[in-house]
Amino acid sequence: MPFEDEFSHALREAAEASPPTSVELLAIGAAQRGRRRKRRRTVVASASAMAAMACVGVLTLQLRPSADVSSPSTVGTTADPATPAATRKLPPLTPVPAPVTSGQLLELFKAELPADLRLSNAMTQDGSAGGSVQLTAAYTATDGHHTGGVEINLTRAPAHPGQRASVGPCSGGIPDCTTTAEPGGASLSLYLPAQAAGGEQNWTATLDRPDGSALTISAGNIPGPGSGRDTPYPNAPLLSAAQLTALALDPVWQPLMANPGGTSTAG
Amino acid sequence: MDHSPTSKPEPAPPGPLDFLDFAAAQGGRLYRTAYLLTGGDSHLAEDLVQEALSRLYPRWKRLSRLENPAGYAHTVLVNTFLSLRRRRSSSELVTFQFSEVAVHDGDPTLRLTLLDALRDLSAQDRAVLVLRFWEDRSIEETAAALRLTSTAVRSRSHRALNRMRALLGTGFAERSRPAVEPR
């Protein structure tokens, strides 16, 4: 007998000599184990689906452009509209300052004004039209002898390529108005008119920046809202030309000029 | 008018009962294959059969429609054996403890010698021999079941048989049988 046949015969004899104890128990045990396996697979599949959904959610949140990207802070930045959103190069992840409100402007203005002025009748005003934003904050100020109004006005207009950002208050050869160039392409216009026939006098210092933003600090003898007075104060403005210039050139306004806009918090 | 349905009712879809029937019908044969694969370890063989059948259970509705589900079950058994051997330890626990049964063994010496020799082989060589010489599968069928090439199966089979011959010797079956006294 060839060895292969002999070996096959021996395998059969060995296998037949060892029957299972109970095929019924074997079958029941297998079914029980199978049910457990099926349950486990269902749980794993559910958990995987939930994990996948969570991953998709996280990815979506990460890839979604921030709402601030389209805020006025990015006015002037250019993005190719033909470029698909998925392939458009995203701006670097630098913190975008929140839009400034007139209430914040009022507080900052108060801190920057000379300490010897007592301030009252605070007023704020927000305005926006045609993509331009304007914030105004004002006080009635007194130095103990004289009274007047002080005001800050911050505007930002959308930049138009090939056009000057701002014409400037002295354009047209207005008397008592001087414009000086400032670093970075900005210009400072100081307008110190004489008292008008009715007694009104209002001095302004305006800083125009090439990005379309402008800051105007003004001081005058015209009574503001809430003062209970309807005729000009009989004195000169409470801020001198030097004080107006210093205030207009103060770098504290720069971050505000970069991101004006928001709701009024007039008080 | 008779409105009773004339068409034959649809056969019930296969369910757990069918699985139990199948497992009970094939359990004995699967166990014997597992017994040889494990080199005579009856407890491991029962565990292996339960594990292999439990792998069929979640897909039983589809598998029961195969032309030869028994053949598929044997293939799963062999692959389960090989994967368990690779992992070395199984975390599965035996669902039922079987009581020891007396084995009606005509030739315990032959059986023990053969099982000892089988244990001396690698798991894959053992699987090749069991499929070829116990299940009578062809080279191609064995290759398909073990996911090997036909050449690899031939080579492994040849090598394993030589090893068996060296361990058992030619004519081992005759030698191990007790000599019959002449009257």
Side-chain angles (χ1 to χ4, degrees):
Chain A
M1 184 189 279
F3 181 78
E4 285 82 352
D5 293 345
E6 200 179 356
F7 179 69
S8 181
H9 179 74
L11 280 179
R12 278 172 216 293
E13 279 196 1
E16 296 302 334
S18 307
T21 329
S22 163
V23 286
E24 286 79 19
L25 281 179
L26 207 61
I28 293 168
Q32 211 171 73
R33 205 183 274 195
R35 274 192 289 274
R36 214 163 54 219
R37 180 182 290 274
K38 196 173 179 177
R39 256 198 319 271
R40 202 163 51 220
R41 277 173 55 167
T42 309
V43 168
V44 168
S46 306
S48 303
M50 285 179 69
M53 281 175 65
C55 285
V56 167
V58 168
L59 276 174
T60 307
L61 283 175
Q62 283 188 344
L63 293 177
R64 191 181 66 176
S66 168
D68 290 335
V69 169
S70 58
S71 71
S73 66
T74 56
V75 171
T77 60
T78 55
D80 183 4
T83 310
T87 58
R88 193 177 298 154
K89 190 179 176 184
L90 293 174
L93 290 174
T94 50
V96 178
V100 179
T101 64
S102 55
Q104 292 170 309
L105 185 64
L106 183 78
E107 288 303 308
L108 192 57
F109 188 40
K110 182 181 180 180
E112 294 298 310
L113 285 169
D116 58 342
L117 291 179
R118 289 199 304 276
L119 305 174
S120 60
N121 300 326
M123 189 275 289
T124 60
Q125 191 176 7
D126 293 358
S128 61
S132 61
V133 181
Q134 180 169 334
L135 301 180
T136 304
Y139 284 107
T140 297
T142 176
D143 60 358
H145 307 284
H146 304 103
T147 306
V150 288
E151 185 180 305
I152 183 168
N153 185 283
L154 203 154
T155 60
R156 175 152 196 156
H160 298 287
Q163 181 182 327
R164 279 192 60 195
S166 176
V167 176
C170 297
S171 58
I174 297 174
D176 306 313
C177 190
T178 54
T179 300
T180 52
E182 296 296 327
S187 63
L188 178 72
S189 301
L190 195 59
Y191 181 42
L192 305 169
Q195 205 169 48
E200 300 94 342
Q201 191 173 30
N202 197 48
W203 292 346
T204 62
T206 302
L207 180 71
D208 284 303
R209 299 206 314 182
D211 61 355
S213 59
L215 174 78
T216 302
I217 308 285
S218 57
N221 61 1
I222 304 163
S227 62
R229 187 184 170 103
D230 53 7
T231 55
Y233 296 105
N235 52 270
L238 294 184
L239 295 177
S240 66
Q243 284 174 314
L244 286 170
T245 302
L247 273 172
L249 294 177
D250 197 325
V252 75
W253 313 115
Q254 285 181 10
L256 280 69
M257 293 174 79
N259 195 23
T263 56
S264 172
T265 54
Chain B
M1 189 184 281
D2 185 12
H3 289 287
S4 61
T6 53
S7 60
K8 284 184 182 176
E10 289 282 320
L17 186 63
D18 292 322
F19 176 82
L20 282 177
D21 287 346
F22 172 82
Q26 295 298 321
R29 177 87 181 160
L30 286 168
Y31 168 81
R32 288 185 176 91
T33 302
Y35 181 77
L36 293 176
L37 285 171
T38 56
D41 187 333
S42 58
H43 292 294
L44 184 57
E46 283 165 352
D47 187 45
L48 198 58
V49 172
Q50 284 193 349
E51 177 65 18
L53 285 172
S54 76
R55 289 185 181 191
L56 304 184
Y57 184 89
R59 296 173 291 155
W60 180 243
K61 270 191 174 178
R62 189 160 51 84
L63 293 176
S64 62
R65 295 191 184 94
L66 289 177
E67 194 179 337
N68 182 16
Y72 185 78
H74 278 260
T75 302
V76 170
L77 176 78
V78 174
N79 285 313
T80 304
F81 163 70
L82 291 175
S83 67
L84 289 180
R85 291 287 299 184
R86 274 195 290 272
R87 276 191 278 159
R88 286 283 172 192
S89 63
S90 168
S91 58
E92 293 285 355
L93 296 172
V94 178
T95 310
F96 290 103
Q97 290 289 340
F98 297 92
S99 57
E100 296 288 344
V101 289
V103 174
H104 303 289
D105 202 344
D107 189 353
T109 315
L110 168 66
R111 188 170 61 90
L112 292 175
T113 308
L114 179 72
L115 294 175
D116 273 347
L118 278 176
R119 278 197 294 270
D120 203 53
L121 295 175
S122 72
Q124 201 152 35
D125 284 354
R126 215 183 304 164
V128 168
L129 289 188
V130 169
L131 287 177
R132 291 279 292 117
F133 297 102
W134 156 249
E135 292 201 353
D136 286 330
R137 293 208 195 189
S138 66
I139 294 276
E140 285 71 29
E141 286 170 339
T142 306
L146 297 177
R147 296 185 191 117
L148 294 171
T149 62
S150 300
T151 313
V153 169
R154 268 196 200 89
S155 144
R156 279 185 177 275
S157 178
H158 182 72
R159 192 175 59 201
L161 273 178
N162 278 346
R163 179 79 181 145
M164 286 285 105
R165 193 179 283 117
L167 288 169
L168 301 169
T170 311
F172 71 96
E174 282 78 20
R175 279 203 315 275
S176 61
R177 285 191 188 110
V180 180
E181 290 290 326
R183 289 190 180 182

PDB file of all heavy atoms in Angstrom, chain A residues 172-208:
ATOM      1  N   GLY A 172      -9.283 122.491  -2.115  1.00  0.00           N
ATOM      2  CA  GLY A 172     -10.010 123.634  -2.640  1.00  0.00           C
ATOM      3  C   GLY A 172      -9.504 124.946  -2.081  1.00  0.00           C
ATOM      4  O   GLY A 172     -10.103 125.988  -2.316  1.00  0.00           O
ATOM      5  N   GLY A 173      -8.399 124.905  -1.336  1.00  0.00           N
ATOM      6  CA  GLY A 173      -7.800 126.137  -0.835  1.00  0.00           C
ATOM      7  C   GLY A 173      -8.613 126.845   0.213  1.00  0.00           C
ATOM      8  O   GLY A 173      -8.790 128.069   0.168  1.00  0.00           O
ATOM      9  N   ILE A 174      -9.141 126.095   1.177  1.00  0.00           N
ATOM     10  CA  ILE A 174      -9.912 126.674   2.273  1.00  0.00           C
ATOM     11  C   ILE A 174      -8.954 127.454   3.183  1.00  0.00           C
ATOM     12  O   ILE A 174      -7.905 126.943   3.574  1.00  0.00           O
ATOM     13  CB  ILE A 174     -10.650 125.587   3.071  1.00  0.00           C
ATOM     14  CG1 ILE A 174     -11.655 124.888   2.144  1.00  0.00           C
ATOM     15  CG2 ILE A 174     -11.325 126.140   4.314  1.00  0.00           C
ATOM     16  CD1 ILE A 174     -12.348 123.712   2.774  1.00  0.00           C
ATOM     17  N   PRO A 175      -9.280 128.706   3.499  1.00  0.00           N
ATOM     18  CA  PRO A 175      -8.404 129.454   4.405  1.00  0.00           C
ATOM     19  C   PRO A 175      -8.397 128.844   5.803  1.00  0.00           C
ATOM     20  O   PRO A 175      -9.338 128.172   6.196  1.00  0.00           O
ATOM     21  CB  PRO A 175      -9.017 130.857   4.414  1.00  0.00           C
ATOM     22  CG  PRO A 175     -10.407 130.701   3.945  1.00  0.00           C
ATOM     23  CD  PRO A 175     -10.433 129.504   3.057  1.00  0.00           C
ATOM     24  N   ASP A 176      -7.324 129.076   6.523  1.00  0.00           N
ATOM     25  CA  ASP A 176      -7.133 128.572   7.884  1.00  0.00           C
ATOM     26  C   ASP A 176      -7.031 127.049   7.943  1.00  0.00           C
ATOM     27  O   ASP A 176      -7.230 126.445   8.991  1.00  0.00           O
ATOM     28  CB  ASP A 176      -8.246 129.039   8.839  1.00  0.00           C
ATOM     29  CG  ASP A 176      -8.416 130.556   8.842  1.00  0.00           C
ATOM     30  OD1 ASP A 176      -7.383 131.259   8.944  1.00  0.00           O
ATOM     31  OD2 ASP A 176      -9.561 131.013   8.703  1.00  0.00           O
ATOM     32  N   CYS A 177      -6.791 126.452   6.804  1.00  0.00           N
ATOM     33  CA  CYS A 177      -6.695 124.986   6.767  1.00  0.00           C
ATOM     34  C   CYS A 177      -5.337 124.607   6.206  1.00  0.00           C
ATOM     35  O   CYS A 177      -4.949 125.090   5.127  1.00  0.00           O
ATOM     36  CB  CYS A 177      -7.825 124.422   5.899  1.00  0.00           C
ATOM     37  SG  CYS A 177      -7.950 122.630   6.019  1.00  0.00           S
ATOM     38  N   THR A 178      -4.600 123.811   6.926  1.00  0.00           N
ATOM     39  CA  THR A 178      -3.274 123.377   6.469  1.00  0.00           C
ATOM     40  C   THR A 178      -3.212 121.856   6.481  1.00  0.00           C
ATOM     41  O   THR A 178      -3.745 121.197   7.383  1.00  0.00           O
ATOM     42  CB  THR A 178      -2.176 123.925   7.388  1.00  0.00           C
ATOM     43  OG1 THR A 178      -2.481 123.548   8.726  1.00  0.00           O
ATOM     44  CG2 THR A 178      -2.084 125.446   7.299  1.00  0.00           C
ATOM     45  N   THR A 179      -2.554 121.340   5.481  1.00  0.00           N
ATOM     46  CA  THR A 179      -2.401 119.873   5.388  1.00  0.00           C
ATOM     47  C   THR A 179      -0.926 119.533   5.404  1.00  0.00           C
ATOM     48  O   THR A 179      -0.130 120.146   4.688  1.00  0.00           O
ATOM     49  CB  THR A 179      -3.051 119.347   4.101  1.00  0.00           C
ATOM     50  OG1 THR A 179      -4.436 119.668   4.123  1.00  0.00           O
ATOM     51  CG2 THR A 179      -2.901 117.836   3.987  1.00  0.00           C
ATOM     52  N   THR A 180      -0.574 118.577   6.206  1.00  0.00           N
ATOM     53  CA  THR A 180       0.827 118.116   6.259  1.00  0.00           C
ATOM     54  C   THR A 180       0.846 116.616   5.999  1.00  0.00           C
ATOM     55  O   THR A 180      -0.068 115.879   6.432  1.00  0.00           O
ATOM     56  CB  THR A 180       1.469 118.403   7.627  1.00  0.00           C
ATOM     57  OG1 THR A 180       0.620 117.885   8.645  1.00  0.00           O
ATOM     58  CG2 THR A 180       1.654 119.894   7.846  1.00  0.00           C
ATOM     59  N   ALA A 181       1.894 116.211   5.283  1.00  0.00           N
ATOM     60  CA  ALA A 181       2.024 114.777   4.989  1.00  0.00           C
ATOM     61  C   ALA A 181       2.580 114.051   6.202  1.00  0.00           C
ATOM     62  O   ALA A 181       3.463 114.564   6.892  1.00  0.00           O
ATOM     63  CB  ALA A 181       2.931 114.587   3.793  1.00  0.00           C
ATOM     64  N   GLU A 182       2.085 112.862   6.435  1.00  0.00           N
ATOM     65  CA  GLU A 182       2.517 112.033   7.568  1.00  0.00           C
ATOM     66  C   GLU A 182       3.112 110.727   7.035  1.00  0.00           C
ATOM     67  O   GLU A 182       2.858 110.341   5.885  1.00  0.00           O
ATOM     68  CB  GLU A 182       1.326 111.716   8.483  1.00  0.00           C
ATOM     69  CG  GLU A 182       0.721 112.947   9.155  1.00  0.00           C
ATOM     70  CD  GLU A 182       1.675 113.633  10.104  1.00  0.00           C
ATOM     71  OE1 GLU A 182       2.510 112.951  10.746  1.00  0.00           O
ATOM     72  OE2 GLU A 182       1.606 114.873  10.189  1.00  0.00           O
ATOM     73  N   PRO A 183       3.917 110.057   7.820  1.00  0.00           N
ATOM     74  CA  PRO A 183       4.515 108.796   7.351  1.00  0.00           C
ATOM     75  C   PRO A 183       3.442 107.774   6.966  1.00  0.00           C
ATOM     76  O   PRO A 183       2.341 107.767   7.517  1.00  0.00           O
ATOM     77  CB  PRO A 183       5.312 108.300   8.564  1.00  0.00           C
ATOM     78  CG  PRO A 183       5.503 109.488   9.428  1.00  0.00           C
ATOM     79  CD  PRO A 183       4.345 110.415   9.169  1.00  0.00           C
ATOM     80  N   GLY A 184       3.775 106.936   5.981  1.00  0.00           N
ATOM     81  CA  GLY A 184       2.858 105.873   5.559  1.00  0.00           C
ATOM     82  C   GLY A 184       1.815 106.355   4.579  1.00  0.00           C
ATOM     83  O   GLY A 184       0.830 105.644   4.340  1.00  0.00           O
ATOM     84  N   GLY A 185       1.981 107.544   4.031  1.00  0.00           N
ATOM     85  CA  GLY A 185       1.016 108.030   3.046  1.00  0.00           C
ATOM     86  C   GLY A 185      -0.173 108.737   3.641  1.00  0.00           C
ATOM     87  O   GLY A 185      -1.087 109.138   2.917  1.00  0.00           O
ATOM     88  N   ALA A 186      -0.192 108.905   4.953  1.00  0.00           N
ATOM     89  CA  ALA A 186      -1.317 109.598   5.596  1.00  0.00           C
ATOM     90  C   ALA A 186      -1.116 111.107   5.491  1.00  0.00           C
ATOM     91  O   ALA A 186      -0.022 111.589   5.181  1.00  0.00           O
ATOM     92  CB  ALA A 186      -1.423 109.169   7.052  1.00  0.00           C
ATOM     93  N   SER A 187      -2.201 111.848   5.761  1.00  0.00           N
ATOM     94  CA  SER A 187      -2.086 113.311   5.772  1.00  0.00           C
ATOM     95  C   SER A 187      -2.905 113.864   6.923  1.00  0.00           C
ATOM     96  O   SER A 187      -3.979 113.331   7.245  1.00  0.00           O
ATOM     97  CB  SER A 187      -2.573 113.895   4.446  1.00  0.00           C
ATOM     98  OG  SER A 187      -3.942 113.609   4.282  1.00  0.00           O
ATOM     99  N   LEU A 188      -2.359 114.922   7.538  1.00  0.00           N
ATOM    100  CA  LEU A 188      -3.055 115.563   8.656  1.00  0.00           C
ATOM    101  C   LEU A 188      -3.509 116.951   8.226  1.00  0.00           C
ATOM    102  O   LEU A 188      -2.715 117.771   7.779  1.00  0.00           O
ATOM    103  CB  LEU A 188      -2.123 115.671   9.864  1.00  0.00           C
ATOM    104  CG  LEU A 188      -2.739 116.364  11.078  1.00  0.00           C
ATOM    105  CD1 LEU A 188      -3.799 115.452  11.736  1.00  0.00           C
ATOM    106  CD2 LEU A 188      -1.683 116.735  12.108  1.00  0.00           C
ATOM    107  N   SER A 189      -4.783 117.204   8.354  1.00  0.00           N
ATOM    108  CA  SER A 189      -5.344 118.512   8.001  1.00  0.00           C
ATOM    109  C   SER A 189      -5.807 119.198   9.273  1.00  0.00           C
ATOM    110  O   SER A 189      -6.605 118.616  10.028  1.00  0.00           O
ATOM    111  CB  SER A 189      -6.524 118.345   7.044  1.00  0.00           C
ATOM    112  OG  SER A 189      -6.114 117.678   5.885  1.00  0.00           O
ATOM    113  N   LEU A 190      -5.308 120.361   9.491  1.00  0.00           N
ATOM    114  CA  LEU A 190      -5.683 121.127  10.673  1.00  0.00           C
ATOM    115  C   LEU A 190      -6.489 122.342  10.202  1.00  0.00           C
ATOM    116  O   LEU A 190      -6.002 123.182   9.448  1.00  0.00           O
ATOM    117  CB  LEU A 190      -4.419 121.584  11.408  1.00  0.00           C
ATOM    118  CG  LEU A 190      -4.585 122.079  12.838  1.00  0.00           C
ATOM    119  CD1 LEU A 190      -5.191 120.992  13.734  1.00  0.00           C
ATOM    120  CD2 LEU A 190      -3.227 122.516  13.413  1.00  0.00           C
ATOM    121  N   TYR A 191      -7.687 122.437  10.674  1.00  0.00           N
ATOM    122  CA  TYR A 191      -8.588 123.527  10.246  1.00  0.00           C
ATOM    123  C   TYR A 191      -8.962 124.343  11.472  1.00  0.00           C
ATOM    124  O   TYR A 191      -9.647 123.851  12.383  1.00  0.00           O
ATOM    125  CB  TYR A 191      -9.828 122.910   9.577  1.00  0.00           C
ATOM    126  CG  TYR A 191     -10.835 123.909   9.062  1.00  0.00           C
ATOM    127  CD1 TYR A 191     -10.429 125.078   8.396  1.00  0.00           C
ATOM    128  CD2 TYR A 191     -12.191 123.686   9.211  1.00  0.00           C
ATOM    129  CE1 TYR A 191     -11.366 125.998   7.911  1.00  0.00           C
ATOM    130  CE2 TYR A 191     -13.131 124.606   8.723  1.00  0.00           C
ATOM    131  CZ  TYR A 191     -12.702 125.750   8.077  1.00  0.00           C
ATOM    132  OH  TYR A 191     -13.621 126.663   7.604  1.00  0.00           O
ATOM    133  N   LEU A 192      -8.459 125.553  11.517  1.00  0.00           N
ATOM    134  CA  LEU A 192      -8.659 126.422  12.681  1.00  0.00           C
ATOM    135  C   LEU A 192      -9.343 127.721  12.237  1.00  0.00           C
ATOM    136  O   LEU A 192      -8.697 128.789  12.143  1.00  0.00           O
ATOM    137  CB  LEU A 192      -7.302 126.722  13.341  1.00  0.00           C
ATOM    138  CG  LEU A 192      -6.463 125.509  13.730  1.00  0.00           C
ATOM    139  CD1 LEU A 192      -5.042 125.946  14.120  1.00  0.00           C
ATOM    140  CD2 LEU A 192      -7.105 124.737  14.873  1.00  0.00           C
ATOM    141  N   PRO A 193     -10.599 127.647  11.929  1.00  0.00           N
ATOM    142  CA  PRO A 193     -11.263 128.864  11.447  1.00  0.00           C
ATOM    143  C   PRO A 193     -11.504 129.888  12.573  1.00  0.00           C
ATOM    144  O   PRO A 193     -11.551 129.517  13.749  1.00  0.00           O
ATOM    145  CB  PRO A 193     -12.593 128.335  10.909  1.00  0.00           C
ATOM    146  CG  PRO A 193     -12.844 127.108  11.710  1.00  0.00           C
ATOM    147  CD  PRO A 193     -11.518 126.510  12.020  1.00  0.00           C
ATOM    148  N   ALA A 194     -11.645 131.092  12.174  1.00  0.00           N
ATOM    149  CA  ALA A 194     -11.956 132.147  13.156  1.00  0.00           C
ATOM    150  C   ALA A 194     -13.418 132.037  13.590  1.00  0.00           C
ATOM    151  O   ALA A 194     -14.185 131.297  12.987  1.00  0.00           O
ATOM    152  CB  ALA A 194     -11.706 133.523  12.520  1.00  0.00           C
ATOM    153  N   GLN A 195     -13.759 132.751  14.622  1.00  0.00           N
ATOM    154  CA  GLN A 195     -15.129 132.689  15.124  1.00  0.00           C
ATOM    155  C   GLN A 195     -16.117 133.211  14.066  1.00  0.00           C
ATOM    156  O   GLN A 195     -15.841 134.224  13.402  1.00  0.00           O
ATOM    157  CB  GLN A 195     -15.233 133.530  16.406  1.00  0.00           C
ATOM    158  CG  GLN A 195     -16.347 133.093  17.335  1.00  0.00           C
ATOM    159  CD  GLN A 195     -16.218 133.782  18.686  1.00  0.00           C
ATOM    160  OE1 GLN A 195     -16.031 135.015  18.754  1.00  0.00           O
ATOM    161  NE2 GLN A 195     -16.309 133.009  19.745  1.00  0.00           N
ATOM    162  N   ALA A 196     -17.169 132.517  13.922  1.00  0.00           N
ATOM    163  CA  ALA A 196     -18.180 132.932  12.948  1.00  0.00           C
ATOM    164  C   ALA A 196     -18.970 134.133  13.483  1.00  0.00           C
ATOM    165  O   ALA A 196     -18.848 134.494  14.651  1.00  0.00           O
ATOM    166  CB  ALA A 196     -19.138 131.775  12.667  1.00  0.00           C
ATOM    167  N   ALA A 197     -19.764 134.684  12.610  1.00  0.00           N
ATOM    168  CA  ALA A 197     -20.511 135.889  12.989  1.00  0.00           C
ATOM    169  C   ALA A 197     -21.451 135.626  14.153  1.00  0.00           C
ATOM    170  O   ALA A 197     -21.666 136.476  15.019  1.00  0.00           O
ATOM    171  CB  ALA A 197     -21.294 136.393  11.779  1.00  0.00           C
ATOM    172  N   GLY A 198     -21.976 134.431  14.214  1.00  0.00           N
ATOM    173  CA  GLY A 198     -22.898 134.088  15.309  1.00  0.00           C
ATOM    174  C   GLY A 198     -22.185 133.660  16.573  1.00  0.00           C
ATOM    175  O   GLY A 198     -22.825 133.288  17.549  1.00  0.00           O
ATOM    176  N   GLY A 199     -20.859 133.658  16.516  1.00  0.00           N
ATOM    177  CA  GLY A 199     -20.097 133.260  17.698  1.00  0.00           C
ATOM    178  C   GLY A 199     -19.627 131.817  17.663  1.00  0.00           C
ATOM    179  O   GLY A 199     -18.839 131.381  18.506  1.00  0.00           O
ATOM    180  N   GLU A 200     -20.083 131.046  16.674  1.00  0.00           N
ATOM    181  CA  GLU A 200     -19.656 129.637  16.635  1.00  0.00           C
ATOM    182  C   GLU A 200     -18.194 129.521  16.202  1.00  0.00           C
ATOM    183  O   GLU A 200     -17.750 130.275  15.332  1.00  0.00           O
ATOM    184  CB  GLU A 200     -20.524 128.830  15.665  1.00  0.00           C
ATOM    185  CG  GLU A 200     -21.989 128.806  16.018  1.00  0.00           C
ATOM    186  CD  GLU A 200     -22.753 129.914  15.260  1.00  0.00           C
ATOM    187  OE1 GLU A 200     -22.128 130.867  14.770  1.00  0.00           O
ATOM    188  OE2 GLU A 200     -23.989 129.806  15.178  1.00  0.00           O
ATOM    189  N   GLN A 201     -17.510 128.606  16.788  1.00  0.00           N
ATOM    190  CA  GLN A 201     -16.123 128.321  16.391  1.00  0.00           C
ATOM    191  C   GLN A 201     -15.851 126.831  16.625  1.00  0.00           C
ATOM    192  O   GLN A 201     -16.090 126.323  17.726  1.00  0.00           O
ATOM    193  CB  GLN A 201     -15.154 129.186  17.210  1.00  0.00           C
ATOM    194  CG  GLN A 201     -13.747 129.131  16.680  1.00  0.00           C
ATOM    195  CD  GLN A 201     -12.846 130.121  17.384  1.00  0.00           C
ATOM    196  OE1 GLN A 201     -13.024 130.461  18.565  1.00  0.00           O
ATOM    197  NE2 GLN A 201     -11.856 130.634  16.674  1.00  0.00           N
ATOM    198  N   ASN A 202     -15.351 126.176  15.592  1.00  0.00           N
ATOM    199  CA  ASN A 202     -15.086 124.725  15.708  1.00  0.00           C
ATOM    200  C   ASN A 202     -13.774 124.397  15.007  1.00  0.00           C
ATOM    201  O   ASN A 202     -13.598 124.706  13.834  1.00  0.00           O
ATOM    202  CB  ASN A 202     -16.253 123.942  15.073  1.00  0.00           C
ATOM    203  CG  ASN A 202     -16.247 122.489  15.516  1.00  0.00           C
ATOM    204  OD1 ASN A 202     -16.117 122.225  16.706  1.00  0.00           O
ATOM    205  ND2 ASN A 202     -16.388 121.559  14.581  1.00  0.00           N
ATOM    206  N   TRP A 203     -12.851 123.848  15.738  1.00  0.00           N
ATOM    207  CA  TRP A 203     -11.544 123.495  15.189  1.00  0.00           C
ATOM    208  C   TRP A 203     -11.482 121.979  15.005  1.00  0.00           C
ATOM    209  O   TRP A 203     -11.961 121.211  15.858  1.00  0.00           O
ATOM    210  CB  TRP A 203     -10.426 123.929  16.144  1.00  0.00           C
ATOM    211  CG  TRP A 203     -10.300 125.419  16.254  1.00  0.00           C
ATOM    212  CD1 TRP A 203     -10.845 126.367  15.463  1.00  0.00           C
ATOM    213  CD2 TRP A 203      -9.547 126.116  17.261  1.00  0.00           C
ATOM    214  NE1 TRP A 203     -10.512 127.611  15.849  1.00  0.00           N
ATOM    215  CE2 TRP A 203      -9.705 127.505  16.962  1.00  0.00           C
ATOM    216  CE3 TRP A 203      -8.762 125.770  18.349  1.00  0.00           C
ATOM    217  CZ2 TRP A 203      -9.108 128.506  17.738  1.00  0.00           C
ATOM    218  CZ3 TRP A 203      -8.167 126.764  19.095  1.00  0.00           C
ATOM    219  CH2 TRP A 203      -8.340 128.102  18.798  1.00  0.00           C
ATOM    220  N   THR A 204     -10.819 121.576  13.930  1.00  0.00           N
ATOM    221  CA  THR A 204     -10.719 120.126  13.674  1.00  0.00           C
ATOM    222  C   THR A 204      -9.300 119.748  13.251  1.00  0.00           C
ATOM    223  O   THR A 204      -8.586 120.543  12.612  1.00  0.00           O
ATOM    224  CB  THR A 204     -11.682 119.677  12.551  1.00  0.00           C
ATOM    225  OG1 THR A 204     -11.325 120.340  11.355  1.00  0.00           O
ATOM    226  CG2 THR A 204     -13.134 119.972  12.884  1.00  0.00           C
ATOM    227  N   ALA A 205      -8.948 118.564  13.609  1.00  0.00           N
ATOM    228  CA  ALA A 205      -7.712 117.931  13.105  1.00  0.00           C
ATOM    229  C   ALA A 205      -8.138 116.610  12.479  1.00  0.00           C
ATOM    230  O   ALA A 205      -8.748 115.757  13.146  1.00  0.00           O
ATOM    231  CB  ALA A 205      -6.733 117.699  14.246  1.00  0.00           C
ATOM    232  N   THR A 206      -7.847 116.445  11.184  1.00  0.00           N
ATOM    233  CA  THR A 206      -8.301 115.245  10.468  1.00  0.00           C
ATOM    234  C   THR A 206      -7.098 114.471   9.943  1.00  0.00           C
ATOM    235  O   THR A 206      -6.240 115.034   9.245  1.00  0.00           O
ATOM    236  CB  THR A 206      -9.224 115.634   9.299  1.00  0.00           C
ATOM    237  OG1 THR A 206     -10.328 116.371   9.822  1.00  0.00           O
ATOM    238  CG2 THR A 206      -9.744 114.405   8.572  1.00  0.00           C
ATOM    239  N   LEU A 207      -7.049 113.219  10.286  1.00  0.00           N
ATOM    240  CA  LEU A 207      -5.988 112.329   9.776  1.00  0.00           C
ATOM    241  C   LEU A 207      -6.604 111.429   8.716  1.00  0.00           C
ATOM    242  O   LEU A 207      -7.504 110.631   9.003  1.00  0.00           O
ATOM    243  CB  LEU A 207      -5.403 111.487  10.920  1.00  0.00           C
ATOM    244  CG  LEU A 207      -4.285 110.531  10.506  1.00  0.00           C
ATOM    245  CD1 LEU A 207      -3.008 111.312  10.168  1.00  0.00           C
ATOM    246  CD2 LEU A 207      -3.994 109.513  11.607  1.00  0.00           C
ATOM    247  N   ASP A 208      -6.134 111.567   7.500  1.00  0.00           N
ATOM    248  CA  ASP A 208      -6.612 110.731   6.387  1.00  0.00           C
ATOM    249  C   ASP A 208      -5.569 109.651   6.090  1.00  0.00           C
ATOM    250  O   ASP A 208      -4.398 109.967   5.886  1.00  0.00           O
ATOM    251  CB  ASP A 208      -6.840 111.584   5.140  1.00  0.00           C
ATOM    252  CG  ASP A 208      -8.114 112.397   5.243  1.00  0.00           C
ATOM    253  OD1 ASP A 208      -9.184 111.791   5.433  1.00  0.00           O
ATOM    254  OD2 ASP A 208      -8.018 113.629   5.149  1.00  0.00           O
TER     255      ASP A 208
END
